[in-house]
Amino acid sequence: MMFLTLIRQELLIHLMSARFFAAVIITLLLVVANTFVLIGAHEERLADYSQRDAVNQEGIATTPTYSVLKLKVQRPPNPLSLFSAGLETRFGNDINIAFDSVPALSNPIVDVRAAEEQWAFGSVPSLSSPGAPLGLNNLYLHLFSQIDLVFIFQVVLSLLSLLFAYDAIAGDWETGTLRLVLSHPVGRGKVLLAKYLAAMVCLLLPVLMSLLFALIQCSFARSLQFGTDDFLRIGGIVLTTIVYLSVFYLIGLLISTTTRRAATSLMLCMFVYVVLVLVYPNWSRFALNPVGDMRGEKRSADQQITQIREAADRERDRFLARSPLKGDPPVFRETEGISNLFSGAGYFLLGDFPRVNLELKNAVDPLAIHFRRYYAFAAPLQIQNAEKVGFVGQQLVEQTSVRQARWDERLMKLSPASLYTFATAAWAGTDLDGMTDYIQTAQAYRRTLINTFHDRDAFASLQWFAPNQQSPIDWSILPSFRFERADVGINAQRALPAVLLLLGTNLVLFMATFLIFMKIEV
Amino acid sequence: MIWHIVTRELFDHLTSLRFALTTLILVALMVTNAIVHLQTHPERVRKYSEKVNASQIELKSRTQLYALLQKGPGKLYKRPSPLTFIADGGDALLPDESVGGGFWRLYGLTYIWSMGVPRLNIGAISHLRPTATAIDWVFIITYLLSFIPLLFTFDALSGERERGTLRLCLANSISRSVLLVGKFLGSLITVLIAFYFAVLFNLTIISADSSTQLSGADWGRMGFIVLIASCYAGIFIAVGLIISAVTRESRLSLVVLLLIWVTVVVFMPSTLGTLSTKWMPPVQTHHQFQETTAAATDQIHSNFLNKRQALIERRQSAETLQEEAAKIDTSELEIQQELVSKDMEIRERLSRQYLAAQSAQVLRARQITRCSPAAMVQYALESMAGTGFNRHLQFLEHCHLHIRQFRDFIVEMDRADPESLHFIGISKGMSKKPVSPEAIPVFEDQLTFQDTLNPALVDMLLLILLLGVSLSGAFLVFLRSEI
């Protein structure tokens, strides 16, 4: 009974206070203004997405041969980036799919050969990594940082929770109300719990209100459509927000119980806030470089790739020795019938020699059969090669970029504010794992593409390298690309470690506060 | 009397917990800043000089005038500022080298180098590492020198009013304005003591290192930067005093101040920047830009092909006449020169237009974010430190000047040779005399003190104005408030 009275009293004190009112107003204003900006940005990304898609489709439709097919696939913009932008808005979007390059998260391989031996065997098998991010025609506008809704909660509401907490005990102690309260038949634990519960209810209010406002704004924008799964993900984000705010409230409560004066407690709270929310996440990423020098790994990967390429070159030379197409690829130039390549009629890609279109006079051209044999041999070799290079390259990416990103994450996670950022990004699917999913989908798509080529026996066909004006390639055979974001369950699994850490912090802080509060003199 | 108040306030503040915490956090950040700068800056300078040397050697290896014109002045590089530790300015994203454009061949003719649209280093944002702001002076000043003043002033008047000491104080023969000035100076000096202390640490570490050499002008710039920072802290102290004078409770005063701080310092610079672009006319996408350029150059090329066709016909009809043939040869060179130079000009003009549209957008967005004093400080510091967007524009301007100078040099060398046919841009029509490598103009990307000060002046004046306004606001509010 007494417990409920306490909760009610605390609730009233908070809800009636001017600080609560001011904070709610500001949060709502910020949320509304930023949602407006974010919806605009999302629409821009959608427009860019469909424009790029149209360009890609057009490019495919006019492609004359199989080998020069420049296929790009795209990740549709994620509507949940409104809540947590994560990597979504700045990580590259479209990725080249080709038979001789494997999609990867990033491309750390410096191509030494490309510059020196531009005429060497075929296009150099390599990695393809995502190109420019969607949206923002004017890349200079990236100078202005983007803010997501989670950031507002992270900065403003954590401040509010500290402001609720700093005088919860110290203030009552100073004014003497603590003594009065404890003179009633109520345990100290219950007093603490009542304060905690009341504050959490009050903190939940601005979160839910701003969520409501944001969703109302979203419903006006036709471009944003949330499915059931998305609402579950948003639910996950709200839960994480509560756990996060609770951490800050408990930090405030702990400081409040350990200090005797509200003024001291306030100063400590403010500095803890500045350090945890503003300074540490930036500081750790700026000052610490835990992975250090990665040139060694790069060098060894470069060596491995060179070996793969040399082996492939030898194999090709062996084939060419038995073929009337003469020796080294540059000699292709002297081969009869190739000279019209340079008259500007066909494709002419530097370092891409065997992919060049030939203007064959007729299909029974004496050279045609040899070229067909050559490509029937060379294209699968290039695919095999690309996969080998892709394997080495992906390992290198794992060892360098991904490892570095993971370490940055781990170090940043020492601050609950960053834990919160990463947990919500995991819920929204905009984290590193979400991007890895995308790359994996692209890799799977490339394999389907190659299978389609195999099915049509494209490598051995004339249309692999020579266009046929009479019957252009029917590109509708291309499999369509669809990137589905991971399941809610998987999102939850990825968010779980960070959420558990936040919960653990809560528990430790609560226990510590409880123990100290039991012992202090009133 | 006023100094009495100031010293009392100072003593109160200097012995407080908040002063200790302030000093600690400022020193820690400044030391980190200095250490990271010492680790990264030498590498930056080394890379720059390597690249510049390589480009110089390549340039000097060309002895033919035509080769010089066709390949252009080589890559031009932006000189890294020794004051990067003060303002990072998003330099990682901004292009630091000039880019050539063109690349075509037509009947033995080829393009001549034109300055293209410099590429942004998109890798600076689209990497896998989590985003974070660099801990430069801009970060330390804009975030902390606004937050800390609020902590020193939120209870300056409301707290004293709560305790009743304000009434006591004013019962003496002290005017309210004197009290206010005393409070203002007391808090400002305290905050600045902590800040200057941290700055001293930072500069000691940086100047102790031999690889960074700061010139006299750099120290002058630093003086201005410290002034800007002090002015900024003053604004927030005045704002703190205003809110503290209007509110009854110091708790409420703190909440209001913190919310103002969050809005103005944390959110306004980025939200307003993105928000303002919504109402601006859209710029071309890169794809559209490429298409317009291609269309324009195609036009020129097809004009050339038509003229060439006409010449061929003329030649066939007048094959026997010696005079006529010579005339046709000259007019062939003429149309060739026209093609090459028009192609170069249109490319350069379109790239400049494209760049100008992009920069106009950024500049306008920056204009609007100037509502927040944090943005003013950021832009002023970037200009003073020679980083950021203004510096980028200056670099491009330097490149343009250099290219003009470079082309003038070639034209003059060609004119000096009597054997040359003076068809600039055509291999056959230009002087064959070798050029001495020493004579080729060298690109200088030097910033004078004026270059850095001028763009910063607007922001500095705005800051001073804001300080004046907020201080007089504090006076008005305090003179009229009930004690």
Side-chain angles (χ1 to χ4, degrees):
Chain A
M1 193 59 218
M2 186 63 201
F3 182 58
L4 287 181
T5 323
L6 272 176
I7 291 186
R8 205 175 61 212
Q9 180 217 359
E10 287 286 329
L11 259 178
L12 282 176
I13 289 177
H14 285 317
L15 290 179
M16 306 293 274
S17 68
R19 50 181 168 174
F20 178 70
F21 184 69
V24 169
I25 294 289
I26 286 289
T27 318
L28 288 183
L29 274 179
L30 285 174
V31 166
V32 168
N34 278 298
T35 312
F36 182 64
V37 173
L38 287 165
I39 289 177
H42 183 78
E43 275 169 357
E44 218 170 89
R45 282 210 299 282
L46 263 180
D48 196 13
Y49 172 73
S50 45
Q51 200 233 339
R52 286 189 197 189
D53 203 42
V55 171
N56 291 345
Q57 293 301 332
E58 199 184 318
I60 292 172
T62 53
T63 306
T65 66
Y66 286 114
S67 63
V68 289
L69 178 66
K70 282 202 166 168
L71 195 58
K72 271 188 178 177
V73 295
Q74 295 199 81
R75 179 177 77 240
N78 180 350
L80 286 179
S81 63
L82 201 73
F83 290 91
S84 169
L87 284 168
E88 170 78 19
T89 49
R90 59 190 178 88
F91 189 65
N93 189 274
D94 39 17
I95 189 161
N96 287 318
I97 304 288
F99 69 98
D100 57 358
S101 70
V102 176
L105 272 170
S106 66
N107 188 359
I109 299 169
V110 197
D111 224 318
V112 275
R113 249 172 64 134
E116 291 163 9
E117 303 172 45
Q118 284 180 338
W119 289 100
F121 171 47
S123 59
V124 184
S126 62
L127 302 184
S128 59
S129 58
L134 280 180
L136 290 195
N137 289 342
N138 187 351
L139 290 178
Y140 286 102
L141 291 178
H142 280 291
L143 287 174
F144 299 98
S145 50
Q146 284 252 351
I147 280 172
D148 47 24
L149 294 185
V150 158
F151 183 73
I152 302 179
F153 298 152
Q154 185 193 328
V155 173
V156 182
L157 292 183
S158 58
L159 193 60
L160 186 67
S161 27
L162 283 178
L163 289 176
F164 276 158
Y166 82 93
D167 61 350
I169 307 293
D172 277 5
W173 193 86
E174 267 182 337
T175 48
T177 38
L178 192 61
R179 202 173 278 189
L180 279 178
V181 169
L182 289 180
S183 64
H184 288 278
V186 57
R188 286 187 177 196
K190 279 195 172 164
V191 173
L192 208 61
L193 201 63
K195 279 183 186 290
Y196 174 73
L197 287 178
M200 286 318 293
V201 170
C202 289
L203 286 171
L204 194 58
L205 272 178
V207 175
L208 292 180
M209 278 166 83
S210 35
L211 193 72
L212 191 70
F213 271 74
L215 287 178
I216 288 174
Q217 273 176 293
C218 288
S219 69
F220 281 116
R222 249 168 290 151
S223 60
L224 273 167
Q225 267 146 4
F226 295 120
T228 335
D229 281 6
D230 288 328
F231 281 109
L232 285 177
R233 292 187 184 107
I234 294 174
I237 292 177
V238 171
L239 266 177
T240 319
T241 311
I242 296 168
V243 179
Y244 165 71
L245 292 179
S246 150
V247 168
F248 273 87
Y249 184 78
L250 287 173
I251 290 176
L253 209 59
L254 180 65
I255 293 175
S256 183
T257 37
T258 40
T259 48
R260 279 298 147 89
R261 287 183 54 225
T264 323
S265 150
L266 176 66
M267 282 307 138
L268 283 173
C269 282
M270 288 299 102
F271 280 95
V272 166
Y273 167 77
V274 163
V275 170
L276 288 186
V277 177
L278 278 184
V279 173
Y280 179 75
N282 292 318
W283 181 86
S284 86
R285 166 74 170 73
F286 176 73
L288 309 175
N289 190 3
V291 177
D293 197 3
M294 296 178 296
R295 270 175 288 192
E297 281 97 337
K298 279 191 185 169
R299 215 170 297 132
S300 79
D302 272 347
Q303 275 167 5
Q304 285 181 48
I305 287 172
T306 315
Q307 278 169 9
I308 293 172
R309 285 178 186 162
E310 278 168 2
D313 281 357
R314 279 195 297 277
E315 213 166 314
R316 176 218 46 195
D317 289 343
R318 272 202 297 279
F319 180 87
L320 282 175
R322 287 180 270 116
S323 164
L325 300 168
K326 271 175 267 164
D328 225 20
V331 185
F332 271 21
R333 277 203 261 191
E334 290 160 20
T335 322
E336 199 189 339
I338 304 272
S339 56
N340 57 3
L341 282 178
F342 300 93
S343 63
Y347 275 65
F348 178 62
L349 302 169
L350 227 54
D352 232 352
F353 188 71
R355 280 214 214 167
V356 168
N357 278 350
L358 296 173
E359 285 281 329
L360 289 178
K361 307 233 167 41
N362 48 47
V364 286
D365 200 304
L367 270 179
I369 185 68
H370 298 298
F371 273 118
R372 282 175 70 168
R373 273 192 204 137
Y374 173 68
Y375 287 120
F377 152 81
L381 178 64
Q382 267 182 298
I383 292 172
Q384 204 187 354
N385 243 350
E387 255 138 44
K388 280 186 202 158
V389 171
F391 181 72
V392 176
Q394 271 171 340
Q395 269 188 333
L396 180 62
V397 173
E398 260 330 295
Q399 280 166 0
T400 54
S401 327
V402 174
R403 193 162 134 241
Q404 195 171 32
R406 298 271 183 220
W407 264 108
D408 284 330
E409 246 178 63
R410 258 170 240 156
L411 285 172
M412 279 168 93
K413 277 180 177 169
L414 286 177
S415 152
S418 296
L419 267 179
Y420 175 58
T421 317
F422 290 120
T424 48
W427 278 111
T430 54
D431 56 343
L432 187 51
D433 292 320
M435 301 303 126
T436 317
D437 287 348
Y438 168 54
I439 298 297
Q440 277 165 358
T441 317
Q443 285 167 352
Y445 179 71
R446 176 179 165 272
R447 281 191 291 274
T448 356
L449 178 76
I450 288 172
N451 287 340
T452 318
F453 279 175
H454 270 302
D455 290 347
R456 309 208 92 205
D457 204 15
F459 306 120
S461 74
L462 199 59
Q463 275 180 324
W464 180 254
F465 58 94
N468 186 345
Q469 251 74 26
Q470 277 81 47
S471 63
I473 301 172
D474 175 21
W475 287 116
S476 62
I477 52 147
L478 285 184
S480 64
F481 177 78
R482 268 175 76 90
F483 171 60
E484 298 279 348
R485 279 176 282 145
D487 236 45
V488 195
I490 294 174
N491 284 142
Q493 254 175 37
R494 287 172 183 167
L496 203 62
V499 176
L500 282 182
L501 269 174
L502 279 173
L503 275 174
T505 324
N506 266 310
L507 209 65
V508 170
L509 283 170
F510 193 82
M511 292 309 293
T513 318
F514 181 71
L515 288 178
I516 294 171
F517 188 59
M518 294 307 272
K519 294 220 161 181
I520 56 167
E521 276 177 46
V522 181
Chain B
M1 194 59 209
I2 190 162
W3 290 116
H4 181 71
I5 299 175
V6 172
T7 41
R8 198 199 59 189
E9 285 283 320
L10 259 182
F11 183 74
D12 271 2
H13 285 324
L14 290 181
T15 51
S16 66
L17 173 72
R18 44 190 153 177
F19 179 72
L21 291 173
T22 301
T23 320
L24 189 74
I25 198 165
L26 284 177
V27 168
L29 287 182
M30 279 294 193
V31 168
T32 316
N33 170 270
I35 291 173
V36 172
H37 178 73
L38 291 190
Q39 282 168 354
T40 52
H41 191 62
E43 176 75 5
R44 210 174 298 143
V45 174
R46 194 182 56 77
K47 269 193 185 150
Y48 166 74
S49 53
E50 259 174 26
K51 285 195 282 188
V52 167
N53 279 340
S55 136
Q56 285 295 322
I57 287 168
E58 207 191 324
L59 186 65
K60 300 259 149 105
S61 70
R62 297 192 188 119
T63 50
Q64 286 293 311
L65 264 190
Y66 175 71
L68 274 177
L69 183 68
Q70 202 265 319
K71 302 269 190 217
K75 278 205 164 162
L76 310 178
Y77 293 99
K78 188 181 340 183
R79 181 190 292 277
S81 160
L83 297 183
T84 345
F85 62 97
I86 289 179
D88 172 74
D91 267 3
L93 174 69
L94 294 173
D96 64 347
E97 57 181 35
S98 67
V99 170
F103 311 114
W104 49 267
R105 270 167 216 285
L106 197 63
Y107 296 115
L109 289 178
T110 186
Y111 66 97
I112 50 179
W113 187 91
S114 62
M115 178 151 158
V117 179
R119 259 177 245 118
L120 273 90
N121 179 16
I122 204 73
I125 48 165
S126 63
H127 50 72
L128 302 176
R129 302 181 74 178
T131 33
T133 324
I135 309 273
D136 48 6
W137 283 30
V138 169
F139 177 89
I140 300 170
I141 291 169
T142 53
Y143 282 103
L144 293 178
L145 277 198
S146 55
F147 189 79
I148 290 163
L150 302 183
L151 294 185
F152 279 99
T153 49
F154 78 98
D155 59 352
L157 300 169
S158 53
E160 292 219 31
R161 193 187 286 139
E162 275 175 332
R163 273 171 275 140
T165 40
L166 193 60
R167 208 172 271 191
L168 278 180
C169 204
L170 288 176
N172 291 319
S173 58
I174 303 172
S175 73
R176 286 188 180 197
S177 50
V178 170
L179 183 76
L180 192 74
V181 170
K183 291 245 173 215
F184 176 78
L185 287 180
S187 313
L188 183 63
I189 292 171
T190 324
V191 173
L192 291 185
I193 286 177
F195 177 64
Y196 291 162
F197 187 61
V199 165
L200 273 182
F201 257 95
N202 179 285
L203 292 182
T204 319
I205 298 176
I206 282 180
S207 53
D209 186 77
S210 56
S211 64
T212 32
Q213 277 143 356
L214 299 176
S215 65
D218 286 337
W219 288 103
R221 289 184 184 119
M222 229 118 57
F224 272 100
I225 285 164
V226 167
L227 266 182
I228 294 169
S230 318
C231 194
Y232 180 70
I235 291 172
F236 279 88
I237 285 174
V239 171
L241 288 175
I242 294 179
I243 302 296
S244 174
V246 280
T247 48
R248 299 264 123 216
E249 275 180 281
S250 52
R251 268 199 227 169
L252 178 62
S253 142
L254 180 72
V255 173
V256 172
L257 282 173
L258 288 179
L259 292 174
I260 291 178
W261 173 79
V262 161
T263 323
V264 170
V265 176
V266 183
F267 286 100
M268 263 179 29
S270 42
T271 309
L272 278 184
T274 5
L275 192 66
S276 60
T277 53
K278 264 195 94 131
W279 288 282
M280 286 181 201
V283 294
Q284 284 180 316
T285 58
H286 193 70
H287 184 73
Q288 283 165 338
F289 163 70
Q290 281 172 330
E291 278 184 349
T292 5
T293 319
T297 49
D298 279 353
Q299 180 65 38
I300 292 170
H301 285 219
S302 66
N303 277 349
F304 165 74
L305 290 178
N306 289 341
K307 284 183 188 167
R308 183 173 175 274
Q309 197 56 42
L311 271 185
I312 290 173
E313 279 161 20
R314 258 175 73 191
R315 180 164 294 168
Q316 276 166 355
S317 61
E319 220 168 325
T320 45
L321 288 168
Q322 276 289 325
E323 258 177 65
E324 187 68 14
K327 227 184 248 173
I328 289 173
D329 281 349
T330 333
S331 38
E332 186 170 16
L333 281 178
E334 252 166 36
I335 62 166
Q336 285 180 348
Q337 183 189 15
E338 195 192 343
L339 163 73
V340 170
S341 60
K342 265 200 179 167
D343 175 84
M344 183 269 284
E345 272 161 26
I346 195 105
R347 267 175 212 288
E348 241 165 43
R349 201 177 68 226
L350 288 176
S351 325
R352 274 197 95 148
Q353 277 172 2
Y354 181 54
L355 262 181
Q358 287 189 327
S359 334
Q361 228 182 24
V362 178
L363 288 177
R364 221 168 313 155
R366 279 162 69 111
Q367 213 66 278
I368 289 167
T369 49
R370 282 204 170 95
C371 287
S372 154
M376 293 180 206
V377 168
Q378 187 195 334
Y379 302 151
L381 257 59
E382 279 176 8
S383 312
M384 292 305 293
T387 56
F389 192 70
N390 261 327
R391 167 78 176 102
H392 169 63
L393 294 183
Q394 280 166 347
F395 166 67
L396 290 183
E397 208 39 56
H398 288 178
C399 288
H400 277 293
L401 284 177
H402 175 70
I403 290 160
R404 206 171 302 152
Q405 196 193 353
F406 184 79
R407 293 209 178 113
D408 288 349
F409 162 78
I410 288 171
V411 172
E412 235 149 74
M413 290 296 281
D414 186 64
R415 214 172 274 157
D417 181 12
E419 282 167 31
S420 160
L421 295 170
H422 306 306
F423 283 105
I424 306 295
I426 308 296
S427 175
K428 275 187 278 178
M430 287 179 75
S431 163
K432 300 281 183 302
K433 273 192 189 164
V435 186
S436 85
E438 282 74 39
I440 303 172
V442 176
F443 179 59
E444 295 266 3
D445 185 29
Q446 288 289 10
L447 281 184
T448 61
F449 192 68
Q450 267 82 22
D451 285 341
T452 51
L453 185 61
N454 290 345
L457 269 181
V458 185
D459 293 306
M460 282 162 70
L461 289 178
L462 275 174
L463 279 171
I464 292 170
L465 190 73
L466 203 60
L467 177 64
V469 169
S470 48
L471 250 184
S472 29
F475 270 111
L476 281 179
V477 168
F478 185 54
L479 289 185
R480 296 177 62 96
S481 68
E482 276 176 47
I483 303 300

